[in-house]
Amino acid sequence: MKFKFSPFARLALTIVFGLACFYQAAAQFPGTQWTKDGFHYYELDNGNIVSVDAREPSKQTVLLNRNQLGIAKGDTIKVRRFSVSQNGDKVLISTNTKKVWRYDTRGDYWLYDLHTNKLKQLGKGRPASSLMFAKLSPDGTKAAYVSEHNIYVEDLATGTIKPLTTDGTKRLINGTFDWAYEEEFDCRDGFRWSPDSRSIAYWQIDARKIRNYLMLNTTDSAYSFNVPVEYPVAGTDPSSCKVGVVNVSTAKTNWMKVPGDAVQHYIPRMEWAASSNELILQQLNRAQNESRIIMCNISNATARIISSETDKAWVDVKPEPIGWDWLSSGKAFIWLSDKDGWRHIYKINREGQEQLLTKGNYDVVEVSLIDEADGFVYFIASPENATQRYLYRVSLNGSTTPDRITPMDQPGTHSYELSPNGKLALHNFSNSFTRPLSEVVNIPQHQHIGGTEIRLNADAVKNKTEFFKVKTADGIELDGWMVKPTNFDPSKKYPVVFYVYGEPASQTVIDRFGASRNGLYKGSMADDGYIYISIENRGAPAPRGREFRKAIYKNIGILNVHDQAMAAKEILKWPYVDSSRVAVWGWSGGGSSTLNLMFQYPEVYKTGIAIAAVGNQLTYDNIYQERYMGVPTDEAGRAVFIKGSPVTYAKNLKGNLLYIHGTGDDNVHYANAEQLINQLVKYNKQFQLMSYPNRTHAISEGEGTTEHLRTLYTQYLREHCPPGGR
């Protein structure tokens, strides 16, 4: 069972505040829950849980009325998320949720029985809002959940609650994950029911040796106090990780004998291997340049490596944290790899024999559906344009070339949620000038069935985004977008503002509505007379092949910054660009890029606004930073990190710098700000600083915060990089 949001609410992401929010909510909350027939799906409509006929979206059947969710006089459960049991007779409801780092993954759970019309709370006696990832067993007789780092099973008939683990503490974590696994591997839900409902496989994370980073809260009481976060910085050991299978009847755990040191390896993915007798998992070494797919026999806990892959840079983790794409009744599965230079789909059997299904010089962005009945795998790609996304399919036997399913007359970014039977899809579309639209189409014909029929609308925006390519002095061709000023006059010179991210976590140059909008600017940049530009440097996760994406290995803060600056130098040759008014801004990794651009290329960039930046790469978490920069276990390894860190170049500041950071940032710690400040002070470099007390990486908490941030940003930009043509 999967928690879900309405498919028509999950439109293409509009970038508002840079890429501070590049976190992938979809990884934690999988998509639409379809009914068994593949023609209906469930959604929440005005507090009611309904079944929607995808062929006629206006036809809805109320499955559970909000009036049936009363728990006290005048008090009704507010549904945050829900899932429907496999046989459709029970509804599991999540409510009263609280945040655990990024997402509100703990809360209270209630179960509604559609046959008996009875509502009952799960986990009675456990602390309020402490239950996590509650799931019904496949046979529908039990529920399992995590509470305070232990796993519990509850008999639905008797209400008896039994702990399956009892050793859980704040640092010995059963059934969920620590901060680093959550942030960098999208790991949150850490247990899986066996298909026969007799066992549960789960992760145990031992973070007892991880040091705390102590954030300081100075505003919520008269005396300041520490807020500890277990946080393994680059160069320190990660948490120990192991996988066990607990028998639901005996509560006895059998630990899998996974080869390799449990501290110096990660296990970011694990599922049942299409049976109740075996597990399959992905293991990465600490440097993340070796990946092994391992089968585990739960009877004797033995492990068998069936496939391995190495890379001179890094090997990507399996994209989806939940699920495994099986074929032929569990005899083979689908896997993504860029081992031949492009990210392709492979079919791998249990003996490790591989078959390449997608052939050619293009990247598969993601797998959308395995339609084994008709013999196809559907996937997203864009062979001709890295800024766009389209649906393709290819034969599961690898005998055909890919067929494009998305109509050729709909350029832009498309996403699809295909029904399990492969006959329908919930289709979302937008491009730089067409607002997000959603419809239902049949597959593979892609004929409109319901929703808003896709029609391009060039009138949706006043200032159209222009896409371009720029070739640097190094001969590197990079994608970019640009929004010119309203009433643009090519005989005048305008200031240019560059928006940058620049690291492997996200792509900025994409043909999607709102991607070229600056949500921090109060008003219209185009109306005020700015040219707004973003460039996609090497190292971004654009579908341009392995060499483009992985060129940044051990070069964050160097190669990406060089590409940006070289592209900017070419743009400054354009006759309508004012080289004396050049600004750059970014958030998180983009804040780091902004600082490095201001410090390393002061002759190009005159004004910078950096938000929540990693000033010193050695302070960031080990999973992310070591993946892209290597493991800094000696002076040579640390030198790579230092070379790419903004603090190394702060002494070169010449322009105007506004630096912004939240003191309660558990992701990019405020220590980065203070180390940067120390270097700027040391060399008498004047700058402006705005610290937001107790705000996180998103700088969104607290009354008035967002408005204050937008005002600060806008006023600083206007003052130091004046708008308008001259």
Side-chain angles (χ1 to χ4, degrees):
M1 303 200 323
K2 296 179 178 179
F3 287 113
K4 57 165 287 301
F5 298 115
S6 165
F8 293 113
R10 288 194 305 274
L11 301 176
L13 174 66
T14 297
I15 298 176
V16 178
F17 300 124
L19 288 187
C21 300
F22 59 74
Y23 320 111
Q24 301 298 312
Q28 174 56 35
F29 308 116
T32 299
Q33 185 182 350
W34 294 84
T35 58
K36 282 185 177 180
D37 65 9
F39 291 111
H40 300 78
Y41 60 87
Y42 302 111
E43 73 174 13
L44 190 63
D45 182 22
N46 196 28
N48 303 315
I49 296 172
V50 300
S51 173
V52 181
D53 189 331
R55 297 160 296 187
E56 296 183 62
S58 60
K59 289 181 62 176
Q60 297 186 355
T61 303
V62 176
L63 186 71
L64 184 58
N65 192 290
R66 63 180 180 273
N67 295 327
Q68 297 171 277
L69 299 177
I71 53 177
K73 189 174 182 180
D75 191 7
T76 302
I77 292 174
K78 294 179 176 60
V79 180
R80 176 67 174 116
R81 301 180 191 92
F82 73 90
S83 62
V84 180
S85 62
Q86 292 181 10
N87 62 7
D89 66 349
K90 297 180 181 69
V91 181
L92 186 61
I93 297 168
S94 169
T95 187
N96 195 28
T97 59
K98 307 295 181 183
K99 264 191 174 184
V100 178
W101 308 124
R102 291 289 157 256
Y103 304 107
D104 55 335
T105 52
R106 63 180 177 90
D108 297 328
Y109 283 86
W110 294 75
L111 186 68
Y112 193 92
D113 190 313
L114 294 171
H115 287 333
T116 64
N117 292 320
K118 290 184 178 180
L119 179 69
K120 65 173 291 185
Q121 184 177 6
L122 298 181
K124 279 190 176 181
R126 300 302 307 159
S129 297
S130 74
L131 270 61
M132 305 177 71
F133 315 115
K135 294 186 282 289
L136 298 183
S137 58
D139 65 10
T141 64
K142 301 177 183 66
Y145 42 79
V146 172
S147 177
E148 296 185 313
H149 293 167
N150 278 310
I151 302 172
Y152 295 82
V153 64
E154 181 169 340
D155 187 292
L156 299 181
T158 65
T160 301
I161 299 172
K162 178 168 67 176
L164 298 181
T165 67
T166 57
D167 57 353
T169 66
K170 288 184 178 181
R171 292 301 192 93
L172 190 63
I173 304 167
N174 296 302
T176 185
F177 297 90
D178 64 358
W179 186 96
Y181 259 80
E182 171 173 328
E183 180 69 19
E184 306 304 353
F185 287 138
D186 287 326
C187 291
R188 295 173 182 86
D189 181 351
F191 73 92
R192 308 284 188 266
W193 274 106
S194 63
D196 64 8
S197 302
R198 296 178 179 178
S199 304
I200 288 176
Y202 68 98
W203 280 265
Q204 184 183 81
I205 303 295
D206 187 348
R208 287 176 291 186
K209 293 184 179 180
I210 303 300
R211 290 188 61 181
N212 278 332
Y213 177 81
L214 301 177
M215 297 188 296
L216 188 63
N217 186 317
T218 61
T219 62
D220 290 346
S221 70
Y223 289 89
S224 62
F225 58 92
N226 289 327
V227 180
V229 181
E230 72 266 9
Y231 193 100
V233 299
T236 64
D237 283 344
S239 300
S240 173
C241 173
K242 59 182 179 179
V243 168
V245 175
V246 59
N247 183 290
V248 171
S249 297
T250 66
K252 181 181 178 181
T253 292
N254 193 16
W255 297 106
M256 300 299 103
K257 300 172 184 176
V258 178
D261 184 272
V263 173
Q264 300 303 320
H265 291 80
Y266 300 109
I267 305 176
R269 301 291 182 260
M270 178 272 291
E271 297 291 338
W272 288 93
S275 75
S276 297
N277 301 316
E278 289 182 301
L279 299 178
I280 190 167
L281 58 87
Q282 181 186 18
Q283 181 195 60
L284 294 171
N285 65 336
R286 178 172 167 183
Q288 298 174 68
N289 55 16
E290 180 183 8
S291 170
R292 300 193 290 191
I293 302 173
I294 298 173
M295 301 281 290
C296 297
N297 184 309
I298 71 164
S299 299
N300 55 23
T302 56
R304 177 173 62 94
I305 300 169
I306 64 170
S307 180
S308 63
E309 178 182 348
T310 60
D311 194 289
K312 292 180 180 179
W314 69 87
V315 180
D316 291 314
V317 68
K318 176 181 173 293
E320 302 81 14
I322 297 175
W324 208 279
D325 295 320
W326 290 100
L327 298 169
S328 306
S329 301
K331 295 179 181 178
F333 56 90
I334 292 297
W335 195 257
L336 286 175
S337 170
D338 60 9
K339 66 179 71 178
D340 73 349
W342 300 89
R343 187 189 293 118
H344 281 310
I345 300 175
Y346 292 82
K347 180 164 63 175
I348 305 177
N349 67 20
R350 286 175 175 257
E351 302 306 315
Q353 297 172 322
E354 298 180 355
Q355 181 184 6
L356 175 64
L357 300 185
T358 54
K359 305 177 181 71
N361 295 341
Y362 65 92
D363 279 330
V364 172
V365 176
E366 63 182 42
V367 174
S368 300
L369 179 74
I370 311 297
D371 180 9
E372 196 167 9
D374 291 329
F376 292 100
V377 55
Y378 289 84
F379 61 93
I380 299 294
S382 185
E384 306 300 327
N385 188 329
T387 73
Q388 300 173 338
R389 302 289 186 269
Y390 302 104
L391 182 66
Y392 289 78
R393 74 174 185 178
V394 70
S395 170
L396 280 170
N397 62 22
S399 63
T400 62
T401 57
D403 294 322
R404 175 165 159 168
I405 305 301
T406 305
M408 297 297 293
D409 61 354
Q410 295 179 6
T413 298
H414 299 256
S415 64
Y416 296 81
E417 293 188 57
L418 278 77
S419 62
N421 60 18
K423 306 301 181 185
L424 301 172
L426 307 177
H427 173 216
N428 293 322
F429 165 77
S430 79
N431 62 23
S432 62
F433 58 86
T434 304
R435 294 181 182 278
L437 297 170
S438 296
E439 65 173 347
V440 181
V441 296
N442 60 10
I443 296 294
Q445 300 87 349
H446 209 286
Q447 296 168 328
H448 173 81
I449 293 177
T452 304
E453 190 168 3
I454 303 300
R455 298 185 186 279
L456 304 187
N457 182 11
D459 298 325
V461 293
K462 182 169 63 173
N463 301 92
K464 189 174 180 180
T465 302
E466 300 177 23
F467 289 86
F468 63 89
K469 293 182 183 295
V470 57
K471 182 172 286 189
T472 70
D474 306 309
I476 305 298
E477 189 175 73
L478 303 173
D479 288 317
W481 53 246
M482 169 174 57
V483 181
K484 289 177 179 174
T486 305
N487 302 319
F488 174 73
D489 183 347
S491 68
K492 294 183 177 180
K493 288 185 177 291
Y494 295 89
V496 59
V497 178
F498 289 97
Y499 167 58
V500 63
Y501 183 71
E503 295 197 13
S506 197
Q507 184 178 354
T508 64
V509 181
I510 191 162
D511 189 2
R512 181 176 58 203
F513 192 83
S516 57
R517 174 178 176 264
N518 185 350
L520 280 186
Y521 190 84
K522 292 189 68 174
S524 167
M525 293 185 72
D527 286 351
D528 287 351
Y530 286 108
I531 299 173
Y532 194 36
I533 290 178
S534 189
I535 302 293
E536 204 79 88
N537 54 259
R538 285 175 293 172
R544 293 187 58 181
R546 179 201 174 280
E547 293 305 314
F548 181 89
R549 290 192 307 275
K550 295 183 178 179
I552 200 170
Y553 184 62
K554 293 190 176 182
N555 269 301
I556 290 179
I558 303 298
L559 179 135
N560 55 330
V561 172
H562 177 79
D563 277 359
Q564 289 284 336
M566 293 303 101
K569 286 183 177 182
E570 296 302 316
I571 289 168
L572 295 187
K573 296 176 184 178
W574 297 351
Y576 47 82
V577 173
D578 187 345
S579 62
S580 69
R581 291 182 291 165
V582 179
V584 59
W585 84 279
W587 196 315
S588 191
S592 309
S593 296
T594 296
L595 292 175
N596 270 321
L597 289 167
M598 289 292 293
F599 301 159
Q600 294 184 40
Y601 298 92
E603 75 280 9
V604 176
Y605 303 93
K606 313 303 182 186
T607 297
I609 302 176
I611 306 173
V614 176
N616 181 349
Q617 293 184 25
L618 288 169
T619 71
Y620 201 59
D621 78 74
N622 52 11
I623 296 179
Y624 179 93
Q625 214 66 39
E626 293 178 0
R627 178 190 302 151
Y628 304 121
M629 297 295 284
V631 181
T633 54
D634 55 23
E635 287 303 316
R638 286 188 285 274
V640 174
F641 286 66
I642 294 168
K643 184 180 179 182
S645 294
V647 291
T648 302
Y649 307 97
K651 60 187 176 184
N652 299 328
L653 176 64
K654 292 181 180 178
N656 311 296
L657 175 63
L658 169 61
Y659 187 74
I660 301 168
H661 211 127
T663 68
D665 191 334
D666 63 276
N667 184 352
V668 180
H669 300 147
Y670 191 68
N672 284 274
E674 296 198 331
Q675 290 184 31
L676 176 69
I677 292 167
N678 273 343
Q679 290 301 303
L680 293 168
V681 169
K682 178 180 178 179
Y683 293 102
N684 193 23
K685 299 297 180 179
Q686 300 301 309
F687 67 102
Q688 186 168 327
L689 171 70
M690 180 63 213
S691 300
Y692 284 94
N694 294 332
R695 271 64 166 192
T696 67
H697 197 55
I699 313 183
S700 60
E701 302 82 4
E703 187 176 354
T705 299
T706 298
E707 182 68 11
H708 186 278
L709 176 59
R710 297 184 69 221
T711 302
L712 172 68
Y713 176 99
T714 305
Q715 289 181 351
Y716 191 87
L717 184 63
R718 287 175 177 167
E719 177 183 352
H720 295 283
C721 185
R726 294 176 180 173

